Amino acid sequence: MVRAPYFDKNGVKKGAWSQEEDDKLREHIEKYGLWNWREIPKFAGLSRCGKSCRLRWMNYLRPDVKHGNYTKEEEDLILRLHEKHGNKWSKIAATLPGRTDNEVKNYWHAHLKKRTVKNQNTLVLKEKCSGSTSESEGSQTNKEMEAKTVVSYTPSNLILESTPLSPETSCSELSNLSTDFAPKLPVSAGTNWNNIAEDVLSSVPTFDESIGDFWTEPFVAGSASDQDNFPGLSFYQEEPFVSYYDDGMDFYYEMMQELPGNN
DNA sequence: AAGCCTTCCAACCGCAGCTCC
DNA sequence: GGGAGCTGCGGTTGGAAGGCT
């Protein structure tokens, strides 16, 4: 189910991640945090491009990511949000703690898309049988119409709508998520950053330089100047915590406000 | 049993948006 | 203002696994 690992012409490894690579990346991020995706593979001793590392971390290695077993509530929420926002997977995923945009997107295409297509066909058939609905519903507001359409997707929406979450509860849950994985940063008065940098660099292999954009550029063993300017150091001291859900919070609150019973 | 087909998830790719200089 | 560097998003693809004929 995964692509066979291979090295491209630049010496950058592609395809499936090995356990060893996962361990290296996880260990590095847990130790030093997230600071610069292009540099991380270099310092973690990985033959991957930064983009690949980011994807692997975000979609698989992150400690708060859960896999498989979507609940009925999650399915319904995805359906509702997709109806409202379209293919804005990151927006949708932001409201599903532990789910990634990639996973939501895959789940949609694998399981939910068929259902909505089926339901839409059913709706069209019903409309054709009962005539145009625009006249009979002409007095309804757009919001009412939208709500009606969403509910028509699946009867189980009723379950979700009958159990509205309070914004306070939801936000605090998400807030916990955003801090659950605060990188274990070795920030202390006695921290010797140069030692850390040398430590990290000790296992770095060497690859040929090549041209390419930010993401495809292969990691290159750091030069002496790289070691002197370990890029993560200033970041750690200025911004020690990284939140994965900051952007989703406002949206989540906004969405909860719009749930029936919260107006 | 063997070959073909379908499903579905991990990973890749291109590009838009943001920030900094 | 605009160019470079970086990040994140969404569409697409590769291919293993399981089902079907």
Side-chain angles (χ1 to χ4, degrees):
Chain A
M1 183 107 50
V2 290
R3 299 178 189 208
Y6 67 97
F7 286 88
D8 74 5
K9 62 183 192 305
N10 297 321
V12 179
K13 193 176 179 187
K14 306 254 178 167
W17 279 66
S18 67
Q19 185 61 50
E20 188 189 0
E21 288 176 303
D22 282 348
D23 292 342
K24 276 185 180 178
L25 182 60
R26 188 187 294 112
E27 192 180 326
H28 183 84
I29 293 176
E30 284 179 354
K31 198 171 177 184
Y32 302 109
L34 303 172
W35 39 279
N36 180 322
W37 283 115
R38 187 165 71 167
E39 300 297 317
I40 281 176
K42 185 196 300 181
F43 287 96
L46 292 164
S47 318
R48 299 275 181 172
C49 64
K51 195 172 187 175
S52 181
C53 290
R54 177 188 164 272
L55 203 68
R56 184 64 178 171
W57 173 256
M58 292 298 195
N59 292 335
Y60 193 81
L61 297 177
R62 240 169 48 186
D64 53 353
V65 170
K66 43 176 186 176
H67 298 280
N69 298 328
Y70 276 73
T71 64
K72 196 71 195 162
E73 285 72 22
E74 284 177 313
E75 283 189 5
D76 293 338
L77 192 51
I78 292 170
L79 286 167
R80 286 165 56 88
L81 293 172
H82 185 268
E83 166 66 13
K84 182 176 178 182
H85 299 291
N87 296 352
K88 298 293 177 189
W89 304 116
S90 59
K91 250 186 172 182
I92 296 171
T95 69
L96 293 161
R99 302 296 185 186
T100 67
D101 54 350
N102 203 34
E103 203 179 5
V104 169
K105 178 174 57 183
N106 283 334
Y107 191 75
W108 166 265
H109 286 299
H111 301 97
L112 305 178
K113 191 178 181 180
K114 304 168 199 162
R115 196 195 297 182
T116 60
V117 169
K118 198 177 171 184
N119 278 310
Q120 275 174 344
N121 288 340
T122 308
L123 277 177
V124 171
L125 273 174
K126 278 185 181 174
E127 281 180 16
K128 280 185 176 175
C129 290
S130 62
S132 171
T133 57
S134 59
E135 286 174 18
S136 59
E137 293 173 347
S139 60
Q140 287 182 309
T141 64
N142 287 340
K143 278 212 164 185
E144 284 167 342
M145 291 285 285
E146 187 182 354
K148 197 165 187 174
T149 308
V150 170
V151 170
S152 70
Y153 269 122
T154 165
S156 57
N157 279 318
L158 296 172
I159 299 169
L160 180 74
E161 289 178 0
S162 65
T163 57
L165 299 169
S166 75
E168 292 80 9
T169 306
S170 309
C171 287
S172 67
E173 280 171 10
L174 283 173
S175 175
N176 285 341
L177 269 171
S178 67
T179 53
D180 271 351
F181 185 73
K184 299 178 183 66
L185 303 171
V187 179
S188 68
T191 302
N192 185 328
W193 296 110
N194 286 332
N195 285 349
I196 294 170
E198 284 172 15
D199 179 32
V200 169
L201 282 165
S202 64
S203 62
V204 173
T206 305
F207 289 88
D208 292 334
E209 292 249 8
S210 71
I211 50 171
D213 66 16
F214 164 68
W215 286 116
T216 57
E217 183 180 325
F219 95 85
V220 178
S223 62
S225 61
D226 284 337
Q227 297 185 39
D228 290 339
N229 299 301
F230 187 58
L233 306 186
S234 59
F235 171 84
Y236 293 154
Q237 290 163 322
E238 289 163 14
E239 294 289 335
F241 296 106
V242 179
S243 169
Y244 307 118
Y245 293 100
D246 281 349
D247 195 40
M249 293 292 288
D250 290 342
F251 166 74
Y252 191 72
Y253 183 77
E254 179 189 323
M255 189 207 72
M256 284 305 166
Q257 292 284 70
E258 292 178 13
L259 281 176
N262 284 338
N263 291 326

